[in-house]
Every structure is written in structure tokens, then in C-alpha cells.
Amino acid sequence: MTQTIAPRLRPLVLLFLAVAAALLAGLAGAAPVSAHAALTGSAPQQGVVVDKAPTQVTLTFSEKVALSDGAFRVLDPKGKRVDTGKATELSGTTYGVPLHAGLPDGTYTVAYQVVSADSHPVAGAFTFSIGAPSVTSVSVSDQTAGGGVVGALYGFGRYVSYAGFIVMVGGAAFVLACWQRGSGVRALQRLVVSGWLAMTAATLALLLMRGSYTGSGKVGDIFDLGLLTDVLQTKTGAALVSRLLLLAAGALFIAVLFGAYARPETESTEDHEDGEEGEELDDSSARRDLTFGLGIGGGVVAIGLAATWALAEHASTGLQPDIAMPVDVLHLIAVAVWLGGLSALLVALFRAPADAPIEGSAVRRFSRVAFGSVLALVATGIYQSWRQLGSWSALTDTSYGQLLLVKIGLVVVLVGIAFISRRWTAQLPETAPAEAAADEDTESAEEPVAAAAKGGGAKRAAQLDRQRAAVDTARLKRLRNADPLRSGLRRSVLAEAGVAVVLLAVTTVLTSTEPGRTEEEAKAATSASSSSSPSSSDADSDGTGALTLDMPFDTGGQDGKGLVRLDINPARVGGNVMHVYVERTNGRAFDVPEVKVAFTLTAKKIGPLTVNPDRVATGHWTANEIQIPMAGDWKIAVTVRTSDIDQVTVDKNAQIG
């Protein structure tokens, strides 16, 4: 029966594996655009022409980033570096690198490569000009953070580490919670141990590749001990080392689970055949205690392993990290219990001893556990989706949202197949009919062998004994597969496992994709930066609430005309970030001595709230954490001083909050 089922299932299995392989291959292409911190502003701005050479270049990101040597490079038209190489944090999410004095006119290229707070590399480049644009020979095609061969290997390592975690945790949970007799089944033992080995090997590989992945991207740098030392000092490096330590504890757990825990199950029937009821009760109590201890210890290890992802990736940054990290841990545990348990059930159905197949009660217990895991998965997934998307439009307008829709579709398919499996499970008998038949066949087969042993000697008896064992194994498998209920359950569980493989691949790509909320904020910031001409509207608010105000001014003195532009993000009640740009009438940066801003809510008699922004470059000032106490129609007044005696105050009203 096995040979007749396999050909029908083989195309389905190959299809799932092909799709998974294609998705994994796509990791290499997805990595270069997987930045989770977006560049939201710079001074000088991209493409701007400034009159005077700036003393430094500043870059503002959507979240905090980690800097390394050479994080920012400023190159002249011939490709020579003109920065000092010492990038520093100026304030909040704004970073700067000083420039050498006396830079000549021409077009300069700013290239950056940093690591976002959620562990992903970020790279890019833009140009600005001094005096007038010029021809530049600079090429920044190598700014593909996380790409190339190392990026593909790193993505594959992430997939393997997730898969290993799911198989190890889910397989162990299946044994403890659903089928304790499975601790003595060799196939299940190999499955859980394989998960541990895969996760350990992948974690070591990720630790070695991390420096090259976030830096040069060269294969040779994987074994650079200097880079490894730097990695160990980062949040991601600490998470990977912690994961290795927890895996050592996991090895001890597995040794007990498949050693001392499995032994009483096989020995109890042999050791207590003489009817010693007291000893049996003692063994039963000891086994319950051991089960409880393994459950607590294994749970702690599983939660710790899940936390190594939550503390270093998406959940640790952005909105509500204190809530997001525990939710992420619960999400990962639910996935592992469901999909890892599913893989264990698949192994039990196909590889459990033919004379001792998995009981129907064990399958039904897993069905209930899986249902609870799906509920937890849906609840935590809804929260994570809201947190990472930020808006309904991000579902279709961003790469993250589109991948999320694919993931949701696969989960729906998986739940649908699981519903079919539950129907098979409900009809499953407590024990397989093969067992009774096997006992009869075994008894009837003993007589010929015994006779052969008397007539043909011990050697012939041993030979016949081996033949009988082979025949018995084949017969037991045929009897097991002849059960239509179990055969139907095997097919549906195999289909679930195939969808789960693809789902895991999509999830791995999703964790390396820029969240929809961040992508939309970056687009909004880019749009605000591009609306710097005098012809821009007086007040422009984009879909995220970011506000841009353009106000022409004239101080009345010589060279006193220009335009002041305010970018306020997110223009809501609470903390805001403000950028002030002062330009001449020809659009070039205006180097004025002083700028002040005041906010007044006349209707509520609040203000003026005075802000003295910090100068970060020629014609560019910034202020972080501006507190707007109340929503309303605010009057925003800007005072611009162009000389010791010439200054003017211009104002406009804008809705904030």
C-alpha cells in the first residue's frame, strides 16, 4: 500500500519543495532592499546646490542605527574621500560626519552603510553640489547591504534556524503533551535531535557571517576574527551567543527526554510482570514528576530561544516594544507547537513501529493543542500586523503588506487542510487494527521457525528468523496502511506539512522586509524633502500627518530675501521632530546667523512656546522632541536674522494633531 500511495503524493511534495526553494532563492534578491531604518532627511539635501562648502554632512533615519568605521563616506567628483571618517550621533536619530575645510566646487557623493535597530543592514547614496553641479566618476554600485553570496547564505541560515527551532520545540512538546510513548520511538528522536543540530549549526554560521553581512559582503570576511569581535559587542551578536548557550541547555533536556524519560516506558512492562503494584505506583508517580520537570525546563528553554529573536529584531524597535516583545515570543512558541507538532505527527504516522502505531487518543490530544496554538497565533499575528503596517493601504502598497497577504493566505489554506485532518482524527479508533492481526500472525509464525530450528540446526533457524522478521515487518506495514482512516489522515497531514514548508519560507522573507509603517514614513519624508521650491503650497500635510510650511521672508537689509521652510513630523500631539531650512530666492542654502521658532495656540491661550533649533549644516536647523500639548490651529512664527541688525518674523497657521 505504501508503494501505491507514494507515487500519487510525490508530485505534490516536489511542488512544495520547488516553491520553497524558489522563495529561499529570492532571499538573496530581497536582502538589499530589506532595510528597516529609512533615511528620512539629510543636510545638504539630495540634489541641492549650496553656495558655501558645508562643514559636515548629517543624515536622519527613521530609527536609531549602529555606526561602524566608514559608516558615512563623502567622495569628491574624482572619488577621493573628503570626510574625516568619524561619524557620530548628533541628536536622536540624526548622525553626522565632519568634512575637510576648503572643499572646491563640484558634485559630491554621500554613501552610507549602517545597521538598523532591528539588526538589518541599511545602505544607500545620494549627491549634492557646491557652487554648481559637475561631472562625477564615483560609482556606488557596491552599496548593496545584505546582498550577494553572503546575503543569500545569511538568509538561508535564518530559514534553517527558524526551522530547527520549530522542529525541536514542537517535536518535544508533541512527545510530552500528546504522545509520551513517542519518547522511545527512534524516528521521533531523530527528528528532534535533527532540529537541535540544524539550529545550532545555523546559529554558529550566522554568528560568523554577521560581520560580513552588515559590512563588506565578502565571503573571505566570514572568518575575520576582528569582525567577529565587533559582532559580539552588538545586540545581534549577544542574542546569537545567548541562543548558543540556551541550545546547550536544550541538549541536556533532549538527553533526559530520550534517555531517562523514555526508559521507564519500555522497562515498566518488563520489570513489573510479577505484579508488584506498589513499585508500579512509585514508577507512575516518578514519571509524572519527571514529565512536570521536563515541561517546566523545556518551556523555559523554548521561551528563552524565542526571546533571542524578539530582543534583537522587529519587536525590539518601533511602537510599544515592551508589549511587542512578549507577544512576539508567544507568537513564535505558538508557531513551533503547531507546525513542529505537525512534523512530529507526520513522522509518527509514517515511521512509528508498525506493531505499535500512534493511538487515536494521542492524535486527538494534538488536535486540541494545535487548535489552541492557532488561536494564539491569530491573536498575536493581528497585533503584529497592526504594529508593522500602520494603515490599511500598506497591505497593498508596500512589499511587507503584500508578503503578509501571501502569509495570511497560506495560513488559511493550512487551517483548511487541518480541518480535514480533524475530521479524520475524530473517526480514528483508539488502536490500530494492525496490532491485533499482527499478534495472531506472529503466534502462527512461531511454529515453522521452531520446527526449522529442530530440523535444520541453529544456523538455519537464525536464517529463518531473519526472514520471518522481514516478512512480519512488511505484513505489519501493509496492515497498517490498509486502514483507510489512518491513510486519509497521513495524506492530509502530509499536505499540511508541505504548506508549512512554504509558509516558513515566506515568514523568513517577511522578517527581512522593511515594515509597511517604516516604508510609508520614508516615502512621506522623501516627499516632504522634495517639496522645497518657493512654489510649494503654504501648508502641506501628507498621509502620515507630516507637515511642511513654506514662508517667504525679507529682513529689509542687503541680501535679506529668502524662503524658510519647516518640516514637522509627525505633526501630532506629543513629541515631534522639526527641521528648518533657509534658502535664498534662487533655491540655494542661505547661511544666516540665527533662526527661532515659536508655537502659539490662540484659541486656548497657550504659548508662545519658543524653540531654539540647533544648526546642523548651512541653511539647516533641527530640533528633536518638540512637545505639542494639544491639538488645534497653531500659529507658527519663525524669526530669521540675516545680520547683526536685520531680522524679521513670519508666521502661518497650521492644524496640528
Side-chain angles (χ1 to χ4, degrees):
M1 187 69 179
T2 304
Q3 293 179 350
T4 59
I5 292 175
R8 291 199 301 245
L9 294 176
R10 192 175 297 116
L12 181 63
V13 175
L14 293 176
L15 175 62
F16 282 130
L17 292 177
V19 174
L23 287 168
L24 285 173
L27 288 172
V33 294
S34 64
H36 294 190
L39 183 68
T40 58
S42 66
Q45 296 179 56
Q46 179 175 358
V48 74
V49 179
V50 298
D51 285 337
K52 227 166 90 175
T55 58
Q56 67 176 348
V57 170
T58 66
L59 292 89
T60 301
F61 295 90
S62 59
E63 64 183 44
K64 282 187 172 293
V65 298
L67 303 178
S68 60
D69 293 338
F72 299 161
R73 294 183 298 147
V74 183
L75 311 173
D76 67 11
K78 294 182 180 179
K80 181 181 177 181
R81 289 187 66 168
V82 296
D83 61 272
T84 63
K86 298 178 181 178
T88 57
E89 179 182 338
L90 299 179
S91 60
T93 58
T94 299
Y95 305 82
V97 59
L99 304 179
H100 295 304
L103 296 181
D105 291 354
T107 297
Y108 290 78
T109 302
V110 181
Y112 58 90
Q113 182 161 330
V114 296
V115 179
S116 65
D118 59 358
S119 80
H120 297 279
V122 184
F126 64 90
T127 62
F128 71 93
S129 300
I130 301 175
S134 68
V135 176
T136 177
S137 60
V138 175
S139 173
V140 290
S141 59
D142 61 334
Q143 294 297 303
T144 54
V149 175
V150 173
L153 291 174
Y154 196 87
F156 180 73
R158 285 169 55 82
Y159 179 88
V160 173
S161 64
Y162 278 125
F165 171 78
I166 288 172
V167 169
M168 180 183 70
V169 172
F174 178 84
V175 170
L176 282 175
C178 304
W179 194 36
Q180 295 179 7
R181 189 169 61 81
S183 61
V185 175
R186 286 295 180 87
L188 269 181
Q189 293 176 359
R190 285 194 293 268
L191 176 73
V192 175
V193 171
S194 297
W196 182 90
L197 290 172
M199 190 178 181
T200 303
T203 302
L204 285 169
L206 292 174
L207 191 60
L208 289 173
M209 290 189 289
R210 181 67 188 175
S212 177
Y213 172 67
T214 60
S216 66
K218 297 178 181 177
V219 176
D221 287 345
I222 292 177
F223 305 101
D224 188 332
L225 295 181
L227 286 177
L228 180 59
T229 302
D230 294 338
V231 167
L232 294 177
Q233 299 174 8
T234 65
K235 182 171 67 172
T236 302
L240 291 172
V241 171
S242 300
R243 193 177 301 167
L244 287 173
L245 295 175
L246 287 164
L247 282 167
L252 178 61
F253 167 83
I254 291 173
V256 175
L257 179 64
F258 296 135
Y261 188 73
R263 206 171 296 122
E265 182 70 26
T266 57
E267 292 179 354
S268 59
T269 55
E270 299 174 3
D271 295 342
H272 301 295
E273 288 178 353
D274 54 357
E276 297 180 7
E277 185 177 352
E279 292 185 15
E280 289 184 4
L281 290 175
D282 290 342
D283 283 351
S284 176
S285 177
R287 187 169 180 81
R288 283 197 301 270
D289 292 342
L290 185 56
T291 301
F292 179 78
L294 284 173
I296 296 296
V300 170
V301 172
I303 290 172
L305 289 171
T308 62
W309 276 290
L311 292 171
E313 297 192 356
H314 278 177
S316 63
T317 63
L319 294 175
Q320 304 174 347
D322 294 339
I323 299 175
M325 287 188 286
V327 168
D328 195 49
V329 169
L330 180 59
H331 188 82
L332 286 170
I333 295 295
V335 170
V337 171
W338 181 25
L339 300 186
L342 187 68
S343 64
L345 176 61
L346 186 67
V347 169
L349 288 170
F350 277 93
R351 291 287 180 257
D355 57 343
I358 184 172
E359 301 87 356
S361 58
V363 179
R364 280 185 281 275
R365 278 194 294 272
F366 172 71
S367 181
R368 291 192 293 269
V369 170
F371 181 73
S373 298
V374 171
L375 292 180
L377 188 67
V378 171
T380 55
I382 289 173
Y383 172 78
Q384 288 179 325
S385 300
W386 166 80
R387 183 174 175 271
Q388 298 292 355
L389 285 173
S391 67
W392 287 108
S393 61
L395 269 174
T396 55
D397 295 344
T398 65
S399 300
Y400 186 92
Q402 292 162 4
L403 276 172
L404 183 62
L405 288 175
V406 174
K407 179 180 177 180
I408 292 172
L410 288 171
V411 170
V412 170
V413 172
L414 198 56
V415 171
I417 301 175
F419 177 75
I420 298 174
S421 298
R422 284 174 65 88
R423 294 182 61 184
W424 287 113
T425 300
Q427 304 174 55
L428 203 63
E430 196 65 31
T431 58
E435 295 183 31
D439 292 339
E440 296 176 3
D441 292 338
T442 301
E443 291 175 0
S444 62
E446 287 178 356
E447 296 178 1
V449 173
K454 293 178 181 179
K459 184 176 180 181
R460 178 61 178 165
Q463 200 174 40
L464 289 175
D465 190 50
R466 288 193 297 272
Q467 293 176 358
R468 186 194 69 174
V471 170
D472 284 347
T473 300
R475 182 175 62 255
L476 290 172
K477 287 184 178 180
R478 287 196 302 271
L479 291 171
R480 179 188 64 188
N481 294 333
D483 183 356
L485 295 177
R486 289 179 181 266
S487 297
L489 181 61
R490 289 190 193 99
R491 287 194 294 269
S492 62
V493 171
L494 181 59
E496 283 186 77
V499 176
V501 170
V502 182
L503 176 63
L504 182 59
V506 172
T507 301
T508 305
V509 178
L510 192 64
T511 59
S512 298
T513 303
E514 183 176 350
R517 186 186 296 271
T518 304
E519 186 175 337
E520 289 196 328
E521 288 176 357
K523 289 178 180 178
T526 303
S527 176
S529 297
S530 64
S531 60
S532 59
S533 64
S535 60
S536 298
S537 60
D538 288 343
D540 176 33
S541 178
D542 57 34
T544 63
L547 180 70
T548 299
L549 293 174
D550 288 339
M551 292 174 274
F553 67 86
D554 184 358
T555 61
Q558 184 179 4
D559 193 23
K561 294 183 179 181
L563 177 80
V564 61
R565 180 168 60 84
L566 267 70
D567 287 340
I568 303 174
N569 195 359
R572 299 179 188 144
V573 174
N576 290 263
V577 177
M578 180 182 70
H579 292 272
V580 183
Y581 301 94
V582 183
E583 301 172 354
R584 298 181 182 275
T585 54
N586 60 6
R588 295 181 179 179
F590 198 161
D591 190 14
V592 299
E594 186 179 26
V595 171
K596 293 181 181 179
V597 183
F599 295 80
T600 304
L601 185 58
T602 306
K604 299 293 183 179
K605 297 182 180 180
I606 298 177
L609 307 177
T610 304
V611 179
N612 294 312
D614 299 320
R615 183 181 185 275
V616 293
T618 302
H620 182 199
W621 286 258
T622 185
N624 294 298
E625 295 302 322
I626 297 176
Q627 294 296 323
I628 302 297
M630 186 179 299
D633 188 21
W634 287 81
K635 183 177 79 171
I636 305 175
V638 183
T639 300
V640 181
R641 182 166 62 85
T642 57
S643 69
D644 292 339
I645 60 173
D646 297 318
Q647 73 175 38
V648 68
T649 299
V650 292
D651 61 73
K652 290 205 178 287
N653 284 12
Q655 182 68 31
I656 298 180

